[in-house]
Amino acid sequence: MANPFYGSGPLRSRPAGNSDEIQLQIDPIHGDLDEHVTGLHKKIQKLKGVAQEIETEAKFQNDFITQLQMTLLKAQAGVKNNMRRLNKSIVQNGSNHVLHVVLFALFCFFVVYFLSKFSKR
């Protein structure tokens, strides 16, 4: 049965006086841990750089979206204002235009009706 406090490889733990503490003993045969630590340190530095680039890009995108939202709100307000003006103008001046269109449609209907009536003879 294997003891859970002993491991294999360059690092081995052994039980200390207190059951919550673990002491590590480095095996001198596998002493290339400094190279592994240096390699890990370089990889962590690369990850840190990538994380910083992601943060910078996220801030840029957030600012861009905020500006885009403000532009859309201004455009929406402008369209709403222009629609209100147009509706007001149609209400004030549009009733005559509607009457003219209706009269023109009736005139065209009667012209077509009379032309079809006289062309049959």
Side-chain angles (χ1 to χ4, degrees):
M1 184 167 138
N3 191 342
F5 291 108
Y6 290 103
S8 62
L11 297 178
R12 295 193 181 160
S13 61
R14 59 180 183 207
N18 190 350
S19 64
D20 291 341
E21 295 178 4
I22 296 176
Q23 293 181 353
L24 292 177
Q25 178 182 5
I26 298 176
D27 189 3
I29 295 174
H30 300 91
D32 59 345
L33 290 177
D34 288 339
E35 293 175 16
H36 291 293
V37 170
T38 303
L40 287 174
H41 181 70
K42 289 178 182 177
K43 289 179 182 179
I44 289 172
Q45 290 299 322
K46 287 181 183 179
L47 284 175
K48 182 180 176 183
V50 169
Q52 288 173 343
E53 287 295 322
I54 290 172
E55 179 186 15
T56 303
E57 183 66 22
K59 285 180 181 179
F60 174 77
Q61 293 291 331
N62 192 20
D63 291 342
F64 179 73
I65 289 172
T66 302
Q67 289 176 355
L68 185 61
Q69 285 176 339
M70 292 301 294
T71 303
L72 287 175
L73 286 174
K74 288 178 183 178
Q76 185 180 13
V79 168
K80 187 176 180 180
N81 190 20
N82 286 337
M83 287 298 294
R84 191 170 17 104
R85 283 180 173 171
L86 185 61
N87 287 335
K88 187 177 179 180
S89 173
I90 287 173
V91 167
Q92 289 177 353
N93 301 325
S95 61
N96 292 335
H97 296 295
V98 172
L99 180 63
H100 293 339
V101 169
V102 170
L103 290 175
F104 179 73
L106 286 173
F107 175 74
C108 289
F109 175 75
F110 284 120
V111 167
V112 170
Y113 176 74
F114 287 125
L115 285 176
S116 67
K117 187 102 174 157
F118 292 123
S119 67
K120 287 185 180 179
R121 289 185 182 180

